[in-house]
Amino acid sequence: MAQAIIVSIDTDVAAKEVLAALRARLDPDPERAARKYVLLRRKLVSFFEWSGADSPEACADQTLTTAAWKMTDGAPVQNVQADCVAIARTILDKQQQARAQAAAAPD
C-alpha cells in the first residue's frame, strides 16, 4: 500500500539545500558538480532498473536525498558515490523484503 508523503515548502527548500551540499561534495566547481550529480543519478537509476526495483527514478532520488541528509547529520562520508551505493542497496533490500512479506501474507 502506498503512503502519501506530505512535503511542506520549508521541507522542499531544506531538501534543495542539502542536495546542493551533496553536489558541492562531488566537486567544488558547480558545473562539474552538476554533471557528476546527473551521472551519479543516472547510474543509480540504472542500478534500480537492473535490480527490478519499483520506481527506479524515485529510488535514485531517495538515495541521493538520504545521502545528502546523512552528510548534514555529521556522518563521516569519505566517498559520496560509495555511500550512495550502500544506501541504494539498503533501499532495494527493504523493497524486496516488503514484496516478500506481501507475497507471503494471506489474502
Side-chain angles (χ1 to χ4, degrees), residues 88-101:
R89 287 183 177 146
T90 300
I91 290 169
L92 184 62
D93 287 345
K94 288 181 181 179
Q95 203 174 83
Q96 290 172 340
Q97 288 172 0
R99 279 189 205 153
Q101 288 176 348

Side-chain angles (χ1 to χ4, degrees), residues 31-93:
E31 287 184 30
R32 285 193 311 255
R35 285 193 300 269
K36 288 180 180 182
Y37 179 87
V38 169
L39 180 61
L40 177 58
R41 186 179 181 280
R42 283 184 192 151
K43 288 179 179 181
L44 289 167
V45 169
S46 293
F47 166 76
F48 285 114
E49 287 173 342
W50 181 81
S51 301
D54 299 330
S55 305
E57 291 199 11
C59 290
D61 292 338
Q62 181 183 358
T63 299
L64 292 166
T65 303
T66 301
W69 281 109
K70 183 178 172 183
M71 287 179 2
T72 65
D73 289 342
V77 178
Q78 295 192 8
N79 184 325
V80 174
Q81 291 88 347
D83 198 46
C84 285
V85 168
I87 292 167
R89 287 183 177 146
T90 300
I91 290 169
L92 184 62
D93 287 345

